[in-house]
């Protein structure tokens, strides 16, 4: 990142801190048109961020001067931009046409993408039509999708987003190695109507393998060993590892290591939801993502939705040292969006070194957290409104919802719009005093209560209004966040596609697991040793 551009952003952020967001609208009548856009069924408004127009310009310039255009080109054409793992990063190939793949990435990748799509289309179609059934001839009614992290969060979010109210084939997701999750997922199911799909890029993940073996035992108990095989399938980038788990080779669906785990929902990782929702829905999801890809590739940065969201984050994180961001979907069907973004953004950009090993010059990914609105309003918004800490927000809503009555939808939308306004304008002491007087409080009571009602305001937010939740708009929304994350990673000067920090805990957990059965516990600190001994 250019240090001059970085200094310019910090200087302008410092100047902006003296002003109020609401005054920026008064000073600049064109503010809204500069800082909002319509793309792929999404209306993106970053005008309630705390930047002045020069602050906005400096943030966008940071991206223009970051080498992002070159990095994007390298990613798109399959160069090994994930240098620490020696891999290309080509999730965009999964949603491109055969012709584009052939033009940009060559025959091998074109053939890989096409054969994976064809295999999924055929298998999903055969299950949906009843051509492929369980061992007793009963059609599959429920899929147990077993996977964690990127092998869980994307498909789970999309299924919650798009499933019919009464799905013909239901999907239950199991991620954690806490056996209660599997027990709850299997409760009430008939093994004869249940398909278990293990989803793991590496096929070495402890949680997924433990859950899969337990689910397989449940099938064997209900159906017998041979019959159970007809109820097992796997998705992996390491298909050679799946045979050891009794999964027939023609039930194994692959993807390549150039698909990162947290970018993998466009691959066979979504097999279970493709079966449940239909291949046509999956194609529409890809279509929406492809439209966002084209926008990201072609729109000028100041009118480029992923860049606007990324610029707001960098302005808040680097310009103002704000360590967190709240993501609040006012969309029950997207209630897991914050969880999805936590992995996408924090696993991608929560780093401290550059790809060449130097410590980075700036802070990196903030803590991303959130819950659905309006529930979040009744839980943690109090702190967001009145604490001296500034937590930037992203407020996401769907305009038209055929499942909601007009009355309920208007109530929901009034909340999301009012919250953005409330965070920005706040409530002054004068207003609070007037309220107290109107309630008949005497001077002493007013002096006591009025300050407690003050909301300082000037709290920044971005609003994303989705016209209607469809496969296309959901695909576009998820691709929007993927490109936002990639762009931020380039500006911060890190590799968004590895995750070395996750490894330490995995290694230590396997040591602790051994300690549980070892004659003597290995050398740990006193607190850890005491905990191990308690479990022993
Ligand atoms: O532990 C982190 C991680 O490697 C994620 O990056 C990944 O999405 C998840 O674990 C699951 O990995 P796998 O798909 O290989 O089981």
């Amino acid at each position: 990142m250019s240090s001059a551009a970085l200094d310019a952003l910090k200087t302008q952020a410092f100047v902006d801190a003296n002003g109020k967001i609401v005054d920026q609208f008064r000073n600049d009548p064109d503010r809204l048109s500069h800082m909002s856009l319509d793309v792929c069924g999404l209306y993106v408004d970053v005008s309630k961020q705390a930047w002045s127009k020069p602050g906005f310009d400096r943030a966008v310039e940071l991206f223009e001067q970051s080498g992002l255009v070159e990095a994007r080109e390298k990613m798109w054409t399959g160069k090994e931009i994930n240098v620490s793992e020696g891999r290309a990063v080509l999730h965009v190939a999964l949603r491109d046409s055969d012709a584009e793949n052939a033009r940009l990435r060559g025959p091998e990748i074109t053939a890989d993408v096409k054969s994976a799509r064809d295999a999924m289309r055929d298998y999903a179609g055969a299950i949906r039509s009843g051509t492929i059934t369980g061992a007793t001839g009963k059609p599959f009614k429920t899929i147990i999708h077993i996977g964690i992290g990127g092998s869980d969060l994307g498909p789970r979010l999309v299924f919650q987003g798009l499933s019919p109210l009464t799905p013909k084939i239901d999907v239950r997701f199991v991620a954690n190695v806490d056996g209660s999750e599997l027990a709850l997922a299997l409760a009430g199911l008939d093994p004869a109507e249940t398909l278990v799909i293990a989803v793991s890029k590496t096929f070495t993940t402890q949680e997924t393998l433990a859950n899969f073996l337990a689910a397989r035992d449940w099938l064997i108990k209900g159906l017998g060993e041979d019959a159970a095989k007809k109820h097992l399938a796997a998705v992996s980038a390491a298909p050679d590892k799946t045979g050891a788990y009794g999964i027939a080779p023609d039930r194994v669906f692959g993807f390549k290591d150039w698909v990162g785990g947290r970018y993998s929902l466009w691959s066979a990782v979504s097999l279970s939801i493709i079966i449940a929702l239909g291949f046509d829905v999956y194609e529409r999801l890809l279509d929406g993502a492809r439209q966002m890809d084209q926008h990201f590739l072609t729109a000028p940065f100041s009118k480029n939705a992923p860049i606007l969201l990324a610029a707001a984050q960098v302005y808040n994180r680097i310009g103002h040292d704000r360590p967190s961001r709240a993501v609040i979907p006012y969309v029950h069907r997207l209630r897991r969006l914050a969880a999805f973004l936590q992995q996408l953004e924090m696993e991608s950009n929560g780093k401290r070194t550059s790809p060449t090993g130097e410590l980075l010059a700036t802070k990196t990914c903030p803590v991303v957290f959130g819950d659905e609105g309006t529930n979040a309003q009744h839980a943690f918004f109090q702190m967001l409104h009145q604490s001296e800490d500034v937590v930037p927000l992203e407020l996401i809503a769907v305009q038209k919802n055929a499942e909601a009555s007009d009355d309920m939808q208007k109530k929901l939308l009034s909340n999301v719009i009012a919250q953005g306004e409330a965070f920005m304008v706040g409530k002054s002491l004068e207003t609070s005093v007037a309220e107290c007087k109107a309630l008949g409080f005497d001077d002493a009571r007013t002096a006591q209560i009025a300050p407690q009602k003050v909301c300082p305001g000037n709290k920044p937010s971005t609003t994303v209004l989705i016209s209607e939740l469809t496969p296309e708009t959901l695909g576009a929304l998820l691709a929007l966040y993927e490109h936002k994350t990639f762009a931020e990673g380039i500006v911060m000067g890190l590799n968004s596609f590895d995750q070395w920090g996750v490894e330490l805990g995995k290694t230590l957990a396997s040591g602790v697991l051994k300690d549980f059965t070892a004659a003597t516990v290995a050398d740990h600190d006193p607190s850890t040793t005491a905990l191990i001994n308690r479990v022993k």
Side-chain angles (χ1 to χ4, degrees):
M1 162 179 20
S2 135
S3 67
L6 189 60
D7 288 345
L9 175 86
K10 286 183 179 167
T11 306
Q12 189 58 52
F14 186 74
V15 173
D16 291 351
N18 295 320
K20 289 199 159 215
I21 307 168
V22 72
D23 293 336
Q24 301 283 358
F25 282 98
R26 293 192 194 108
N27 302 341
D28 175 8
D30 294 330
R31 180 175 175 87
L32 183 60
S33 66
H34 282 139
M35 299 185 191
S36 63
L37 58 89
D38 272 292
V39 63
C40 307
L42 315 178
Y43 172 67
V44 178
D45 176 0
V46 293
S47 67
K48 289 197 186 83
Q49 287 294 333
W51 45 27
S52 60
K53 179 66 170 55
F56 171 86
D57 291 340
R58 297 298 84 78
V60 172
E61 276 161 21
L62 206 54
F63 286 83
E64 285 164 349
Q65 296 175 22
S66 65
L68 176 58
V69 171
E70 297 75 20
R72 188 177 63 187
E73 172 73 12
K74 281 188 189 164
M75 176 165 116
W76 240 261
T77 52
K79 306 287 178 310
E80 284 187 2
I81 61 168
N82 177 358
V83 285
S84 70
E85 296 180 322
R87 289 176 186 161
V89 174
L90 271 177
H91 47 278
V92 291
L94 297 168
R95 49 219 195 199
D96 247 343
S97 64
D98 291 345
E100 273 304 271
N101 273 330
R103 187 176 75 83
L104 293 170
R105 294 151 201 140
E108 200 179 311
I109 284 170
T110 312
D112 279 340
V113 173
K114 186 171 162 21
S115 64
R117 275 185 199 156
D118 290 348
M120 289 193 287
R121 179 191 290 115
D122 293 350
Y123 185 61
I127 290 184
R128 285 171 68 78
S129 66
T131 313
I132 293 181
T133 64
T136 66
K138 285 187 179 178
F140 288 116
K141 276 197 186 154
T142 309
I143 298 172
I144 301 292
H145 174 117
I146 297 177
I148 197 163
S151 296
D152 164 69
L153 292 161
R156 196 192 285 248
L157 176 68
V158 173
F159 188 67
Q160 287 175 348
L162 301 176
S163 69
L165 292 175
T166 47
K168 208 174 129 205
I169 300 177
D170 194 16
V171 186
R172 297 187 185 181
F173 293 86
V174 180
N176 200 347
V177 74
D178 179 335
S180 294
E181 191 175 4
L182 180 66
L184 286 164
L186 295 177
L189 296 185
D190 176 358
E193 297 172 336
T194 305
L195 176 66
V196 173
I197 306 184
V199 185
S200 173
K201 178 174 173 180
T202 55
F203 230 75
T204 58
T205 302
Q206 183 197 50
E207 296 90 331
T208 301
L209 297 178
N211 274 316
F212 180 69
L213 290 175
R216 192 183 70 170
D217 284 349
W218 175 81
L219 286 171
I220 292 173
K221 217 164 137 207
L223 300 166
E225 189 142 6
D226 272 351
K229 287 195 178 131
K230 290 200 157 183
H231 295 248
L232 301 174
V235 175
S236 183
D240 51 308
K241 294 205 174 81
T242 58
Y245 292 85
I247 304 158
D250 63 340
R251 299 288 167 92
V252 177
F253 298 81
F255 61 102
K256 296 293 172 185
D257 69 3
W258 40 256
V259 183
R262 50 196 173 272
Y263 301 84
S264 65
L265 79 100
W266 320 99
S267 74
V269 160
S270 284
L271 179 66
S272 10
I273 64 166
I274 293 170
I275 298 170
L277 302 176
F279 195 79
D280 54 326
V281 172
Y282 168 67
E283 282 188 310
R284 291 174 57 197
L285 186 80
L286 298 186
D287 201 43
R290 189 164 50 240
Q291 286 172 35
M292 184 55 75
D293 294 344
Q294 283 311 310
H295 167 75
F296 178 53
L297 281 175
T298 55
F301 278 9
S302 62
K303 281 288 171 195
N304 191 309
I307 302 294
L308 293 193
L309 292 193
Q313 172 133 321
V314 165
Y315 178 85
N316 282 309
R317 184 72 181 115
I318 299 178
H320 290 287
D321 199 17
R322 290 175 181 149
S324 60
R325 174 173 122 257
V327 175
I328 316 292
Y330 281 72
V331 190
H332 180 69
R333 281 181 171 274
L334 299 184
R335 60 195 175 279
R336 296 277 298 170
L337 183 64
F340 174 81
L341 294 181
Q342 276 170 341
Q343 190 203 16
L344 178 64
E345 299 189 23
M346 294 168 80
E347 199 172 79
S348 295
N349 291 344
K351 312 267 166 79
R352 62 196 287 277
T353 47
S354 73
T356 42
E358 291 88 23
L359 280 179
L360 294 169
T362 64
K363 300 270 178 60
T364 59
C365 188
V367 173
V368 180
F369 73 101
D371 198 357
E372 70 182 292
T374 63
N375 306 25
Q377 292 177 198
H378 299 274
F380 54 84
F381 270 35
Q382 162 61 37
M383 180 271 179
L384 303 186
H385 278 294
Q386 283 197 311
S387 161
E388 286 296 301
D389 290 319
V390 176
V391 179
L393 291 108
E394 230 150 71
L395 305 169
I396 296 141
V398 166
Q399 262 178 281
K400 215 169 107 195
N401 179 3
E403 290 169 346
S405 69
D406 192 45
D407 174 57
M408 285 178 74
Q409 185 63 8
K410 287 221 167 87
K411 285 186 168 124
L412 182 67
L413 289 171
S414 69
N415 273 283
V416 64
I417 293 170
Q419 287 294 334
E421 188 179 25
F423 279 115
M424 178 172 68
V425 299
K427 188 200 276 193
S428 66
L429 184 60
E430 295 72 43
T431 307
S432 299
V433 167
E435 275 180 12
C436 290
K437 297 276 182 209
L439 288 167
F441 291 179
D442 63 18
D443 285 353
R445 183 104 176 109
T446 299
Q448 181 194 1
I449 298 299
Q452 299 184 47
K453 296 176 122 201
V454 168
C455 292
N458 213 29
K459 306 226 166 168
S461 68
T462 288
T463 309
V464 178
L465 265 188
I466 305 168
S467 53
E468 196 174 355
L469 192 61
T470 64
E472 289 85 354
T473 56
L474 182 52
L477 182 78
L478 300 180
L480 164 73
Y481 279 109
E482 285 182 347
H483 299 321
K484 164 194 180 286
T485 304
F486 167 59
E488 286 164 3
I490 297 299
V491 159
M492 291 166 173
L494 52 83
N495 175 5
S496 297
F497 302 103
D498 58 13
Q499 56 283 318
W500 299 107
V502 188
E503 296 309 318
L504 173 63
K506 287 187 194 171
T507 311
L508 294 193
S510 84
V512 170
L513 189 59
K514 285 193 192 118
D515 281 338
F516 289 154
T517 47
T520 47
V521 171
D523 196 23
H524 301 274
D525 62 274
S527 161
T528 306
T529 305
L531 289 167
I532 293 169
N533 282 326
R534 273 178 180 260
V535 173
K536 271 182 119 172

